[in-house]
Amino acid sequence: MATTTAQPIDLYTWSTPNGWKIPIMLEECGLPYRVVPVNIGKGEQMAPDFLAISPNNKIPAIVDPQGPGGAPISVFESGAILQYLGRKTGCLYPADERARTAVDQWLFWQVGGLGPMLGQAHHFRIYAQEKIPYAIDRFTEEAKRLYGVLDRRLADHEYLADDYSIADIATLTWAKFHEKQGIALADLPHVRRWLDTLLARPAVQRGLGAI
Ligand SMILES: N[C@@H](CCC(=O)N[C@@H](CS)C(=O)NCC(=O)O)C(=O)O
């Protein structure tokens, strides 16, 4: 009887919070992959070959040679990639509608709110050559508010949704860098507990080391 060997997924990524989400997911789900580094510091995200799979010129993106119907598929946007891999494997993305909706709302909270705001806080606090107090204050205050939302959720939930899921993966790679966003975890004990638990997972450590 013929056997199908899983072909590796090509992972286009770089060492950033969005970039680490996908190797963590691939490690958690035991999917074979190979990393194609896209050095965004050198502008490699603008290369025509990369734009063909990631038209918004951002990492991460994947090409799965064994997509739906057995044909290759490319996927960009970290949230869409996490959902795709979760549907493909049944791993960390429950099929039950109520449980899936719980995951989706926290995943969208991360990709639409937490990530962009923490990215701006990081940018204006650390990278911007001109230090603009209004921007630093605005995005640091918004970061504090969002971490408060996270801490309240985790006060009575072990994970963001019902169980460990793609929503936790999406959020942990940002929370790992809380200090650069102007956030101390001393007053956020539930975030601290959750983050320490996730960072201790071997698959998370392998994913963080993949790029
Ligand atoms: N919404 C996108 C954001 C991705 C994103 O911002 N990627 C950054 C690195 S963390 C990037 O590729 N920046 C390169 C650029 O803006 O040119 C996602 O979640 O995948």
Side-chain angles (χ1 to χ4, degrees), residues 16-19 21 40 45-46 56-60 76-79 81 110-111 174:
T16 73
N18 287 316
K21 294 173 183 174
I40 62 172
Q45 70 275 28
M46 300 299 180
N56 194 36
N57 63 264
K58 295 196 188 277
I59 59 92
F76 70 99
E77 281 292 327
S78 63
I81 299 168
Q110 189 288 310
V111 296
W174 283 94

Side-chain angles (χ1 to χ4, degrees), residues 7 23-24 26 37 128 137 142 182:
Q7 294 173 28
I24 292 174
L26 291 162
D137 291 348
E142 182 62 0

